[in-house]
């Protein structure tokens, strides 16, 4: 059931990626950064009102109650002058202002380096887990890791949530979290294999998951409490980052329990079935 559920979500996500892609932030598409300081304290709501509907998705970051960084879509010189006028009309007189054009090249480089980091990390983890545990554990852990990344990217594509530079950082964080949780369960499976008596392999895996379940639930709930607080009180700027982490943490915990261990179990049992059939055929 859980594997089918994962496949459905993954296929929907991949279909959404192929059909409508990702809703990329100006970090990836290019845009304009406005650095503005007002003479009087002003709220973010007033600034957003001054930006108008055309720039409703602009990212506003406060450095004080009067100073703000505004990231928005590319604008011409004429549009920029109009924007300054609207801001003064809605938010108050501006004491100092400057602007710069954002090129997408930097974020493309960040994305490329993040992909390299993910590939290198996966290879190194594959080697380490193979040495520390065994090859089957390593492969299924990497599959669970990639599963979490695809789920996260797919859900952001389906709901058209904005993908900014912080999304890359969130994805890499989720990958690390997912791997850590998977290894905890695999370590308990390995320990129980040494102590195994009459229980079947399925029972052993199920018991191993139950042995670590309390720790898993406490860890994920503690993390989600902190992330929920960030989502509610962190403001618009960090909202998508918090959402990405929440989805990734839930997916990482879910894949550790229902995907990685189940795939390892099926792989081992399939090999044992083949060996038994081969032995019967020879006998």
């Amino acid at each position: 059931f859980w594997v089918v559920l994962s496949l459905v979500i993954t296929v929907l996500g991949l279909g959404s990626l192929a059909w409508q892609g990702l809703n990329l932030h100006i970090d990836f598409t290019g845009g304009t950064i406005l650095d503005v300081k007002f003479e009087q304290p002003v709220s973010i709501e007033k600034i957003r009102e001054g930006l108008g509907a055309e720039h409703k998705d602009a990212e506003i970051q406060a450095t004080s109650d009067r100073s703000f960084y505004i990231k928005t879509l590319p604008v011409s010189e004429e549009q920029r002058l109009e924007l300054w006028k609207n801001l003064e009309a809605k938010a108050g007189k501006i004491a100092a202002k400057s602007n710069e054009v954002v090129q997408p090249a930097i974020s493309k480089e960040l994305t490329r380096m993040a992909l390299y980091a993910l590939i290198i990390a996966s290879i190194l983890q594959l080697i380490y887990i193979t040495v520390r545990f065994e090859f089957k554990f390593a492969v299924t852990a990497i599959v669970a890791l990639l599963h979490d990344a695809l789920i996260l990217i797919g859900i952001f594509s389906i709901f058209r949530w904005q993908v900014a530079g912080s999304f890359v950082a969130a994805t890499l964080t989720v990958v690390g979290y997912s791997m850590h949780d998977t290894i905890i369960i695999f370590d308990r499976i390995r320990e129980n294999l040494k102590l195994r008596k009459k229980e079947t392999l399925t029972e052993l895996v199920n018991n191993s998951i139950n042995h670590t379940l309390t720790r898993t639930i406490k860890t994920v709930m503690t993390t989600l409490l902190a992330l929920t607080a960030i989502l509610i009180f962190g403001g618009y700027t960090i909202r998508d980052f918090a959402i990405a982490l929440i989805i990734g943490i839930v997916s990482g915990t879910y894949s550790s329990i229902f995907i990685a261990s189940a795939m390892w179990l099926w792989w081992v049992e399939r090999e044992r079935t083949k060996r038994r059939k081969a032995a019967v055929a020879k006998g």
Side-chain angles (χ1 to χ4, degrees), residues 9-279:
I9 297 173
T10 303
V11 169
L12 287 175
L14 291 174
S16 177
L17 279 171
W19 176 47
Q20 61 184 1
L22 292 169
N23 180 19
L24 297 176
H25 187 262
I26 65 167
D27 288 346
F28 296 97
T29 60
T32 303
I33 294 181
L34 306 176
D35 184 2
V36 57
K37 183 176 182 180
F38 294 90
E39 289 186 349
Q40 300 295 328
V42 63
S43 68
I44 290 178
E45 289 71 23
K46 283 290 184 182
I47 295 174
R48 200 169 292 283
E49 186 180 339
L51 292 173
E54 184 182 350
H55 304 281
K56 63 183 178 64
D57 291 327
E59 181 180 324
I60 305 172
Q61 182 179 356
T63 56
S64 73
D65 60 354
R66 294 190 298 158
S67 301
F68 300 86
Y69 282 112
I70 304 170
K71 292 182 180 180
T72 188
L73 299 169
V75 292
S76 65
E77 184 63 29
E78 184 180 339
Q79 290 173 320
R80 194 178 300 121
L81 292 173
E82 186 66 26
L83 199 54
W84 289 127
K85 289 180 182 178
N86 292 337
L87 280 173
E88 284 201 318
K90 297 291 185 180
K93 193 166 180 61
I94 296 173
K97 60 186 178 183
S98 64
N99 57 264
E100 62 178 302
V101 176
V102 178
Q103 299 295 340
I106 295 176
S107 287
K108 286 181 179 178
E109 178 67 15
L110 172 64
T111 305
R112 184 162 59 250
M113 295 307 294
L115 288 173
Y116 290 158
L118 180 60
I119 293 169
I120 293 171
S122 298
I123 293 172
L124 291 176
Q125 287 180 108
L126 187 67
I127 295 170
Y128 171 76
I129 299 171
T130 299
V131 173
R132 190 74 175 79
F133 293 84
E134 64 171 43
F135 181 68
K136 294 184 185 67
F137 279 131
V139 172
T140 50
I142 296 299
V143 169
L145 180 154
L146 296 175
H147 160 275
D148 298 331
L150 286 174
I151 291 287
L152 178 56
I153 294 169
I155 289 177
F156 261 68
S157 175
I158 290 170
F159 291 101
R160 305 300 296 156
W161 288 327
Q162 216 169 48
V163 174
S166 59
F167 179 82
V168 177
T171 303
L172 294 177
T173 303
V174 166
V175 163
Y177 186 96
S178 172
M179 180 59 71
H180 174 72
D181 207 38
T182 302
I183 290 300
I184 294 294
I185 295 175
F186 280 173
D187 188 52
R188 184 53 60 92
I189 292 175
R190 185 186 60 172
E191 289 177 359
N192 287 339
L193 281 171
K194 296 176 183 177
L195 303 172
R196 183 182 179 189
K197 294 180 180 178
K198 293 182 179 180
E199 60 185 344
T200 65
L201 194 60
T202 300
E203 290 171 340
L204 184 144
V205 171
N206 197 52
N207 289 335
S208 298
I209 292 172
N210 286 329
H211 292 164
T212 57
L213 195 57
T214 301
R215 176 259 171 208
T216 300
I217 291 174
K218 286 179 178 178
T219 302
V220 72
M221 289 306 298
T222 304
T223 309
L224 288 178
L225 282 173
L227 290 174
T228 302
I230 292 172
L231 176 64
I232 296 172
F233 303 109
Y236 180 84
T237 304
I238 202 171
R239 184 192 65 186
D240 291 333
F241 177 70
I243 290 174
L245 282 178
I246 289 172
I247 293 171
I249 295 302
V250 171
S251 175
T253 304
Y254 155 83
S255 67
S256 299
I257 296 172
F258 297 109
I259 304 299
S261 53
M263 290 185 66
W264 178 84
L265 174 64
W266 292 338
W267 192 351
V268 172
E269 287 192 329
R270 185 179 179 185
E271 282 195 349
R272 291 184 177 183
T273 301
K274 284 183 177 180
R275 285 199 296 267
R276 281 198 296 267
K277 288 180 178 180

